[in-house]
Amino acid sequence: MFLAVVGCAEQAPALPPPVIAGMSSTAAPPSAAHLAAQPVAGQAGGEVRLSGAGYPAHGRVVFTFHGRRVGDTTADAVGRFAEVPVRVPDSFGDSAPGTQFTIGATSGPVSAETPFVLTR
């Protein structure tokens, strides 16, 4: 059996071409930095060891806990650091158990963050 459909199908209106955003020469490239904390949870006053990669070679890396500076280190020749000890500030001891904070590591325009959960 053969069925023919004759007629005019309604066409959808043409969509405008997609807008492609260009990158200006002043835009910072996306950060490829990575930061890890060990352990990922602990008490105020406790020690956390930080490891990271993707930072500027031999760059100074500053660590923050919820925006408060807690230490620094120097990245190696390929932009890495490992097992750098920092302390969770005692001032966060009044926070409720389970509260999540952010640990950050920044070197110039390059930065990364990792979560940290406060326990009792």
Side-chain angles (χ1 to χ4, degrees):
M1 170 181 246
F2 179 73
L3 179 64
V5 178
V6 179
C8 192
E10 186 175 313
Q11 283 188 314
L15 297 174
V19 175
I20 299 173
M23 235 175 126
S24 75
S25 61
T26 58
S31 178
H34 174 73
L35 177 65
Q38 186 60 38
V40 296
Q43 299 177 344
E47 185 178 272
V48 180
R49 294 194 173 268
L50 303 176
S51 298
Y55 291 88
H58 305 291
R60 181 172 165 245
V61 181
V62 175
F63 303 120
T64 57
F65 185 91
H66 200 63
R68 178 178 293 172
R69 185 172 180 211
V70 292
D72 62 74
T73 194
T74 301
D76 66 13
V78 293
R80 294 185 198 152
F81 55 88
E83 301 289 319
V84 178
V86 298
R87 291 230 173 262
V88 176
D90 288 323
S91 59
F92 289 94
D94 292 336
S95 301
T99 301
Q100 182 172 306
F101 292 97
T102 301
I103 298 175
T106 304
S107 182
V110 178
S111 66
E113 296 180 332
T114 191
F116 183 84
V117 177
L118 206 60
T119 62
R120 287 227 194 250

